[in-house]
Structures are given as structure tokens and as C-alpha cells.
Amino acid sequence: MLILRRVVRLVFVFFVVTFVTFVLLDLTPGDPAETFAGLNATPEVVEQIRVDLGLDGSLFERYVHWLGNAVRLDFGDSVVTRGFSSFDLIRDTLPKTLELMILAELIAIGIAVPLAIASARRPGGIIDNLSSSSAFGLLALPSFVLGIYMSYVFGVKLGWFPTIVDNLPGLNDDPIENLRQMLLPSVTLALNLVAVYLRLLRSDLIETLQEDYVMLAQARGLSERRVMWRHVLRPSSLNFTTAVGLNVAGLVGGAFIIEILFAINGMGSLVIRSVILEDFNVVAAVVAILTIAYVSLNFIVDLLYAWLDPRIRHGAR
């Protein structure tokens, strides 16, 4: 029953987000039919194209028609890139955006968790002071500022990494070169996440270390490492898991900025280009796919809560 309620809630969120997006796109100046027809098209031709594109009905009728097609992954054709559907364009750009986000998340978790554990073991120590100071500094810097700085230092001055990633090879074709080109954008995107995860997990670990059952485990002579990994880290991960799930939306926005900064032909570039050229079918398709991804990930996070803390699962019954 609990899972069913969450599924219903997520479906409701999808309908609300896609409908609001549809309304906002409808209020945006410009006519996709005129864009598709070209500058020299007559009003009769534009009207016929509007009928062919299904733009002649009311807002609600067009939304219902679009939704019925979207269920079959048919988001309509691009009105700018002739001969390609919206799904074709997304399919070509989505892997690069996903790779950037996944790499950034793995880098952030891989840096933040060990630093948080080391800081919690010795609060006020050298590692704790250095990591806390660095976290405050990273939180104060927007990702595009970090990107410009890192691109200049590691790309222009040192020449270790490319500053323009416009010819990215596939992971299957050349994984080493692919990762070399994506490392700098991924690290840039990950640094702000490191600061958030580090501060959140560190405070929860310190609080959990003061619990009676942890002190009892220490009194039984269990090693510090075993106490940390078996008795402390799991119950301290609830807020951390929440942050990972909720940061997906911010991660998408940050990924779009990083893609523009490093000239990565991902979904960020596609969305900006589609908005400028009034290719609203593509914009609506991107929003729908991102909404599905976001609500699905939040559903997974809800399930992880029950695994991390059984009290949540039992209390919901």
C-alpha cells in the first residue's frame, strides 16, 4: 500500500510538471508553425502546417494528444532539425549528459565519504579543519566560476585536459580518451556536491558516534574501522541519501551549464538551442524525460530509506 501511494504521487507530479511546462511553452512568444514553414510562407501554408502539427486545437486537447503520444515515446518531430524526431535528438545527446552527471556524482561521493569519516573520527583535527574550510570555499563559488578557473589552470596553462569537448569519443570506442576529456567537466560539476555531502555526512557521523550503542560497541573492543562502517555509517546516511536524491535537479542544471562551458553536445546545449529556435516539441520532450528520471530516483530514495532505517518501514504501516 505504501509503495502504491508513492507511485500515485509520482505519477501526479509527472502530470503537473508536464502540464505546467506545456502551458508555459504555449505562453512563450513565437509560433512553431511559422518556424517550420519558413520566412516566405503564406498564411495559408502556415495554417496548414499548424493543422498538420496538431497545433490548431485547444491547450487541453493538445496536451492530451501530446501525452498520449509521449506514452509511446513519440514526442513529435523537431520543427527546426528537419527529418529528426525529438526523441532522436534526445537519444543522441542524453548519453553525454548522463555520463557527465554519473561521473560527477561518483567523484563527489568518492571524495566526500572518506573525508567525512576522517573528519568525524578526529573533530577539530587537521583533516577536519582543512576539509571544512575547503567546503565553505567551494559552496561560495558557482560551478561556472569553478569551470572557468579549472579550465584555465588545467587546460590552458598545464595542458592536461581539453577545454573544448566537442569531439567526444564513445565509451565503447575509446574509453581512456573519453574519460580524459570528461574528467575536467565532471570534477568541476562534482566540487559543489563534495562540499554539501561532506558537511552533511560529517555532522551526522559525529552525532551517531555519541549514541549509546556505538559506545557499547567500542567498549566491547571492536576495532574503530568496524564500528564506523558497521554501526555508524549506515544510520548516518539518511540525510546523505536525501541530499543525493534531491540534488538531482540541481545536478541537471549544473550539468547544462558545464556543457555550455566546455562545448559538450549534451542535453543542455540541445535545450538552449531549442528554446532559442522555438523548437518546443524538443523542450517538452526533454522536460518529460527529466521529470520521469527525477521522480523515479526519488522513488528509489524512498525505498532506500526503509533499508537504511527499518523504523521508517515499520512506522509507515
Side-chain angles (χ1 to χ4, degrees), residues 80-144:
V80 174
T81 309
R82 304 294 178 88
F84 289 88
S85 68
S86 301
F87 187 75
D88 290 335
L89 297 177
I90 293 174
R91 184 177 54 194
D92 292 339
T93 55
L94 180 59
K96 298 174 184 177
T97 301
L98 281 178
E99 181 183 355
L100 176 62
M101 293 174 58
I102 292 173
L103 284 176
E105 197 69 67
L106 292 176
I107 292 171
I109 294 174
I111 295 175
V113 172
L115 279 179
I117 292 175
S119 299
R121 282 177 172 174
R122 303 288 186 272
I126 296 178
I127 296 178
D128 186 30
N129 291 332
L130 287 177
S131 60
S132 297
S133 301
S134 300
F136 277 112
L138 291 174
L139 287 174
L141 290 175
S143 58
F144 70 90

Side-chain angles (χ1 to χ4, degrees), residues 90-230:
I90 293 174
R91 184 177 54 194
D92 292 339
T93 55
L94 180 59
K96 298 174 184 177
T97 301
L98 281 178
E99 181 183 355
L100 176 62
M101 293 174 58
I102 292 173
L103 284 176
E105 197 69 67
L106 292 176
I107 292 171
I109 294 174
I111 295 175
V113 172
L115 279 179
I117 292 175
S119 299
R121 282 177 172 174
R122 303 288 186 272
I126 296 178
I127 296 178
D128 186 30
N129 291 332
L130 287 177
S131 60
S132 297
S133 301
S134 300
F136 277 112
L138 291 174
L139 287 174
L141 290 175
S143 58
F144 70 90
V145 175
L146 285 171
I148 294 173
Y149 177 77
M150 294 187 66
S151 179
Y152 175 75
V153 173
F154 296 103
V156 177
K157 299 295 290 184
L158 298 177
W160 293 352
F161 304 101
T163 58
I164 302 297
V165 189
D166 58 349
N167 190 24
L168 182 69
L171 275 172
N172 295 329
D173 300 328
D174 191 348
I176 296 178
E177 179 61 21
N178 175 282
L179 294 175
R180 189 182 79 86
Q181 293 192 30
M182 288 294 284
L183 184 60
L184 190 58
S186 301
V187 171
T188 302
L189 184 59
L191 287 178
N192 288 123
L193 297 177
V194 171
V196 174
Y197 296 165
L198 173 61
R199 294 184 61 196
L200 189 63
L201 187 57
R202 171 193 173 275
S203 61
D204 286 345
L205 286 172
I206 292 176
E207 182 178 350
T208 305
L209 283 169
Q210 299 173 358
E211 295 288 341
D212 293 339
Y213 72 90
V214 175
M215 296 182 180
L216 179 61
Q218 292 172 336
R220 291 172 54 194
L222 297 180
S223 65
E224 186 178 7
R225 176 177 299 180
R226 186 175 181 183
V227 170
M228 180 63 71
W229 287 101
R230 187 169 181 176

Side-chain angles (χ1 to χ4, degrees), residues 27-43:
L27 296 175
T28 303
D31 187 349
E34 293 181 356
T35 302
F36 188 86
L39 296 176
N40 300 321
T42 63

Side-chain angles (χ1 to χ4, degrees), residues 35-36 77-84 89 273-274 276-280 282:
T35 302
F36 188 86
D77 293 332
S78 169
V79 299
V80 174
T81 309
R82 304 294 178 88
F84 289 88
L89 297 177
R273 184 169 63 249
S274 300
I276 294 175
L277 298 177
E278 300 175 3
D279 200 347
F280 296 152
V282 176

